[in-house]
Amino acid sequence: PAEQGRFAKIFIGCLAAVTSGMMYALYLSAYHERKFWFSNRQELEREITFQGDSAIYYSYYKDMLKAPSFERGVYELTHNNKTVSLKTINAVQQMSLYPELIASVLYQATGSNEIIEPVYFYIGIVFGLQGIYVTALFVTSWLMSGTWLAGMLTVAWFIINRVDTTRIEYSIPLRENWALPYFACQIAALTGYLKSNLNTYGERFCYLLMSASTYTFMMMWEYSHYLLFLQAISLFLLDSFSLQQSDKVHEVYKIYIFSLFLGYLLQFENSALLVSPLLSLVVALMLAKCLQLNVKKGTFIAKIMKVINFYLVCTLTVTLNIIMKMFVPHKENGHMLKFLEVKFGLNMTKNFTMNWLLCQESLQAPSQDFFLRLTQSSLLPFYILVLIICFLSMMQVIFRRINGKSLKETITLEDGRIGGRPEIIYHVIHTILLGSLAMVIEGLKYLWTPYVCMLAAFGVCSPELWMTLFKWLRLRTVHPVLLALILSMAVPTIIGLSLWKEFFPRLMTELMELQEFYDPDTVELMTWIKRQAPVAAVFAGSPQLMGAIKLCTGWMVTSLPLYNDDDLLKRNENIYQIYSKRSAEDIYKILTSYKANYLIVEDAICNEVGTMRGCRVKDLLDIANGHVVCEEGDKLTYSKYGRFCHEVKINYSPYVNYFTRVYWNRSYFVYKINTVISFQS
């Protein structure tokens, strides 16, 4: 009967996990349909809903489907000279287009082209992955707390706070929406793998799942190795503090090395993976293990060895990284380092790109609203409570170890020692590392908040956590084990009911509301380009708009909204000069140097009002060009010329000599860049 009960519990839990994943995916799909009226729109209007960089990702998926064969399609993407003028790029490597390659293969191999439109297939896969994401978080909190109630609570918190847990609503094809579900699977597998009481089959399954998801995660997103680096630090600290899991941790290191080298080979020998801090750290840890002598545990020498080992790993990591950077030819992430310098106030700059990045909302420190939203759904208070209890319990266990007290191998509920479990120690360190990053840059909260939901839910549903608390409070009136078991059922139930009462009606009204997404000006512009512009034309304008033009019309552009390439950043800065106070001749020279034939001026940027002071594109350009001296009294230095985007609209010389207006509507003005310049006016 005990076996049957256990089996029933696991069966119901698995069913709940899979159901919540599917429900979430369906919810996203329905919400997306309501938001954009997606099914009632023509293809062009649908494509306009992909904005900024997501437009480029989707456009390459479209290109792959048009290609005569898969090999030809891949060749055209890796030697791509049809996107950006005067530049051949390896789009697959530069933009991590592996998801698009896989999606296009699946679409054609499964014969979906008869059943479903390509755009639905594409967003369907991404929504499906979000479902897997939620299921993985469910399983992680279930593994840690031992009850699937924790999983249900995790999912509820995740969905209620989805403005802060995921960027899927803002933009579907983002790399992180493809990658983070695999990271969640990897963490679920790692949590299971680190558990002390795991049988051999379970261990093998977790190991295989972890290998597969680590490698896939690394392929999907160019920044994934930084996230795995934080994970490796957490495992290293776990290994330093706890004694029993050392072999398992070193098995995980082997997975990292294998994934890095396989990734290096399959990503066109991507040197960024060789010079990544992850590789240096893991190699340093391997070397340190070889050098470690077998010293009796608990002795004074053993403690000294621990400190030496710690120091050795840190110095070795830095040294190896420097050596790798000397010998491996790689593209320096110069703008990233410069950005961090300016962000932390170590440096001042007038550089347009740097200041523009600093002005992006996602790269600033989190606002108060973020914390208020998390508190309203009661997530933050419970998370802080759980984190404090786990952290203090972990410190208690570590100090006992340092003092050489031998601890019981198996921890029972009566012991009330939640901080002794290796998977808990790992999660506490990991959440502290991710949380401290999210406190600096708001855009990184999407890595942290899903695990906040998971940890808070695990804590309130875990009898061990309550037991640990009662042990400290020396509770003697009621039987503490009984009370812990009751609370671990009652607290999540109360939270669940209050969340249901407050947030469920909101979620339903969100699905019922029909939001109107209507952008006739952009539709007209794209239609005009398709009908009137010559096939070989090259368009210049703001990078955001260029992404949309590349997707909707397929015409060539001068720049793209991508921020990981120095040359493209330089192009963006140069083309943005159309909104600065420079002469017609200057602008003409810049545009012709990129072989542009048409220029598009956007009213929204030219007449931009609001946003943070000094963060409008035209302000940033004036600072960079020295047309404004920022002092207390805001003194302006004189620029001989008016703002180009205003002046070009008034038909007078010299502007008419260089540029001829060929199309305009309320939002956009299109100018043909004259090849022959006449000054006969």
Side-chain angles (χ1 to χ4, degrees):
E3 269 299 305
Q4 276 176 344
R6 190 161 163 262
F7 178 75
K9 189 176 149 190
I10 289 175
F11 178 74
I12 293 170
C14 289
L15 200 66
V18 173
T19 311
S20 7
M22 284 168 69
M23 293 296 280
Y24 178 58
L26 290 169
Y27 172 78
L28 281 177
S29 176
Y31 180 76
H32 180 256
E33 170 61 45
R34 290 306 234 189
K35 188 175 171 186
F36 295 122
W37 282 68
F38 212 64
S39 53
N40 304 342
R41 296 201 174 273
Q42 288 140 354
E43 191 181 13
L44 181 61
E45 289 177 316
R46 282 181 191 172
E47 286 172 356
I48 287 171
T49 64
F50 292 106
Q51 290 177 342
D53 51 351
S54 56
I56 310 171
Y57 298 129
Y58 182 71
S59 81
Y60 285 124
Y61 165 72
K62 240 174 74 173
D63 290 351
M64 277 302 292
L65 293 181
K66 283 179 194 157
S69 69
F70 178 70
E71 290 79 15
R72 185 73 211 155
V74 173
Y75 180 81
E76 278 176 7
L77 290 192
T78 47
H79 304 77
N80 189 298
N81 56 5
K82 293 196 178 87
T83 303
V84 185
S85 60
L86 301 180
K87 195 171 161 69
T88 301
I89 49 176
N90 180 344
V92 180
Q93 185 183 9
Q94 195 162 349
M95 299 169 210
S96 309
L97 293 181
Y98 299 95
E100 280 66 27
L101 298 184
I102 296 163
S104 63
V105 169
L106 285 175
Y107 182 68
Q108 282 159 336
T110 52
S112 306
N113 33 11
E114 273 105 52
I115 317 159
I116 187 172
E117 289 172 68
V119 65
Y120 278 115
F121 187 78
Y122 184 84
I123 59 178
I125 293 182
V126 187
F127 290 155
L129 280 174
Q130 301 310 303
I132 292 172
Y133 194 176
V134 164
T135 304
L137 290 169
F138 184 112
V139 171
T140 312
S141 60
W142 180 15
L143 282 169
M144 284 165 70
S145 62
T147 162
W148 53 267
L149 263 179
M152 298 296 278
L153 192 54
T154 304
V155 175
W157 265 328
F158 183 90
I159 295 175
I160 287 165
N161 293 299
R162 70 179 191 288
V163 181
D164 299 306
T165 51
T166 166
R167 270 188 9 190
I168 187 82
E169 279 174 36
Y170 159 73
S171 167
I172 294 169
L174 285 179
R175 299 302 83 183
E176 66 199 57
N177 292 335
W178 287 92
L180 291 177
Y182 294 104
F183 187 53
C185 292
Q186 193 251 20
I187 286 187
L190 180 62
T191 308
Y193 188 65
L194 289 174
K195 280 173 89 78
S196 322
N197 51 358
L198 196 64
N199 61 21
T200 334
Y201 289 115
E203 204 168 292
R204 208 166 291 163
F205 174 72
C206 287
Y207 184 78
L208 287 171
L209 179 60
M210 199 162 38
S211 311
S213 48
T214 305
Y215 170 66
T216 316
F217 176 54
M218 211 173 273
M219 290 297 280
M220 292 289 171
W221 195 27
E222 61 178 324
Y223 300 117
S224 51
H225 59 91
Y226 292 113
L227 208 47
L228 293 171
F229 172 62
L230 289 181
Q231 191 181 59
I233 294 176
S234 315
L235 288 169
F236 165 51
L237 293 173
L238 163 69
D239 189 21
S240 309
F241 298 143
S242 106
L243 302 170
Q244 67 251 56
Q245 300 293 37
S246 194
D247 299 339
K248 282 188 180 178
V249 170
H250 279 271
E251 284 301 317
V252 182
Y253 295 157
K254 285 175 195 165
I255 293 181
Y256 290 150
I257 287 200
F258 175 72
S259 301
L260 277 166
F261 281 118
L262 200 59
Y264 168 73
L265 293 173
L266 288 177
Q267 288 183 4
F268 308 95
E269 301 187 0
N270 182 2
S271 54
L273 293 180
L274 291 187
V275 295
S276 72
L278 176 64
L279 185 64
S280 310
L281 175 66
V282 174
V283 173
L285 288 163
M286 297 277 200
L287 288 171
K289 177 155 191 186
C290 300
L291 298 172
Q292 240 177 358
L293 301 162
N294 293 330
V295 187
K296 251 184 146 178
K297 282 169 191 154
T299 56
F300 178 68
I301 300 171
K303 288 175 197 170
I304 299 284
M305 284 301 288
K306 266 271 190 267
V307 177
I308 293 173
N309 185 43
F310 205 87
Y311 173 73
L312 185 72
V313 169
C314 296
T315 46
L316 260 177
T317 305
V318 176
T319 319
L320 281 169
N321 202 281
I322 293 168
I323 292 171
M324 280 306 242
K325 282 188 170 160
M326 275 160 57
F327 287 106
V328 178
H330 66 289
K331 201 174 64 186
E332 263 301 344
N333 261 346
H335 58 273
M336 213 154 128
L337 296 171
K338 226 179 281 169
F339 167 75
L340 291 173
E341 272 180 19
V342 179
K343 170 102 182 132
F344 294 119
L346 303 172
N347 210 333
M348 287 292 287
T349 181
K350 286 186 169 183
N351 180 302
F352 169 77
T353 306
M354 282 303 123
N355 286 327
W356 186 80
L357 286 171
L358 281 172
C359 280
Q360 298 302 305
E361 228 172 88
S362 59
L363 294 175
Q364 288 165 4
S367 56
Q368 280 184 323
D369 299 352
F370 166 59
F371 298 108
L372 278 173
R373 284 193 300 267
L374 292 190
T375 310
Q376 271 172 347
S377 61
S378 71
L379 173 59
L380 204 57
F382 281 111
Y383 168 73
I384 292 168
L385 172 78
V386 171
L387 187 61
I388 289 172
I389 295 174
C390 289
F391 185 74
L392 292 176
S393 175
M394 176 179 118
M395 288 326 244
Q396 196 181 11
V397 169
I398 290 167
F399 276 114
R400 284 188 180 168
R401 289 239 164 94
I402 291 172
N403 295 335
K405 288 185 185 164
S406 63
L407 297 170
K408 286 202 298 188
E409 277 303 303
T410 49
I411 299 171
T412 55
L413 180 58
E414 284 83 18
D415 293 339
R417 201 184 297 135
I418 195 159
R421 285 165 52 191
E423 71 272 31
I424 308 276
I425 299 180
Y426 160 73
H427 274 286
V428 168
I429 299 170
H430 198 201
T431 194
I432 290 172
L433 287 177
L434 288 175
S436 42
L437 282 180
M439 293 307 112
V440 181
I441 295 176
E442 182 165 10
L444 297 174
K445 68 182 178 186
Y446 302 104
L447 307 174
W448 176 60
T449 37
Y451 300 99
V452 170
C453 301
M454 191 271 307
L455 260 171
F458 132 75
V460 292
C461 299
S462 166
E464 268 182 86
L465 184 105
W466 296 110
M467 193 62 209
T468 308
L469 186 61
F470 298 150
K471 256 297 211 299
W472 291 338
L473 300 175
R474 305 243 164 107
L475 195 76
R476 296 216 173 85
T477 43
V478 197
H479 199 275
V481 177
L482 190 66
L483 190 61
L485 287 167
I486 292 169
L487 273 183
S488 68
M489 300 287 273
V491 175
T493 312
I494 294 165
I495 297 172
L497 286 172
S498 64
L499 290 180
W500 176 271
K501 196 175 159 206
E502 190 180 344
F503 291 98
F504 186 70
R506 280 194 216 175
L507 289 177
M508 285 299 114
T509 48
E510 268 176 17
L511 276 189
M512 288 321 174
E513 271 177 16
L514 286 173
Q515 299 179 18
E516 188 59 282
F517 176 85
Y518 191 55
D519 188 359
D521 294 348
T522 310
V523 174
E524 283 169 22
L525 174 71
M526 299 302 169
T527 316
W528 180 84
I529 292 174
K530 280 179 157 176
R531 288 187 186 149
Q532 305 289 329
V535 181
V538 176
F539 283 85
S542 73
Q544 263 41 39
L545 181 63
M546 293 303 101
I549 287 180
K550 159 77 182 94
L551 166 60
C552 300
T553 67
W555 260 253
M556 245 170 138
V557 292
T558 50
S559 57
L560 289 175
L562 289 172
Y563 311 110
N564 58 357
D565 180 79
D566 290 336
D567 180 50
L568 283 174
L569 283 173
K570 190 77 204 137
R571 276 173 179 251
N572 289 350
E573 184 177 344
N574 286 342
I575 306 272
Y576 262 135
Q577 298 297 330
I578 57 178
Y579 300 107
S580 69
K581 299 176 178 175
R582 286 177 68 173
S583 68
E585 190 185 1
D586 279 0
I587 305 288
Y588 181 79
K589 280 181 181 163
I590 290 172
L591 295 174
T592 46
S593 72
Y594 292 123
K595 294 281 185 281
N597 311 109
Y598 288 91
L599 163 65
I600 304 177
V601 174
E602 287 167 78
D603 237 15
I605 302 179
C606 196
N607 300 323
E608 193 177 358
V609 285
T611 63
M612 283 167 54
R613 182 168 173 273
C615 266
R616 300 177 304 180
V617 168
K618 45 189 184 182
D619 300 340
L620 297 174
L621 286 164
D622 290 347
I623 292 169
N625 294 335
H627 295 158
V628 178
V629 179
C630 285
E631 284 176 22
E632 280 70 50
D634 260 359
K635 290 178 191 159
L636 300 172
T637 55
Y638 176 67
S639 167
K640 271 196 311 205
Y641 308 101
R643 196 170 296 287
F644 175 82
C645 60
H646 290 314
E647 302 294 322
V648 75
K649 289 177 192 169
I650 314 161
N651 285 338
Y652 71 93
S653 184
Y655 295 91
V656 270
N657 311 82
Y658 293 109
F659 305 99
T660 311
R661 185 164 68 189
V662 285
Y663 171 80
W664 72 96
N665 60 28
R666 280 178 313 178
S667 309
Y668 303 103
F669 292 79
V670 183
Y671 296 90
K672 188 171 188 336
I673 299 167
N674 298 336
T675 40
V676 180
I677 303 162
S678 60
F679 283 98
Q680 276 123 23
S681 51

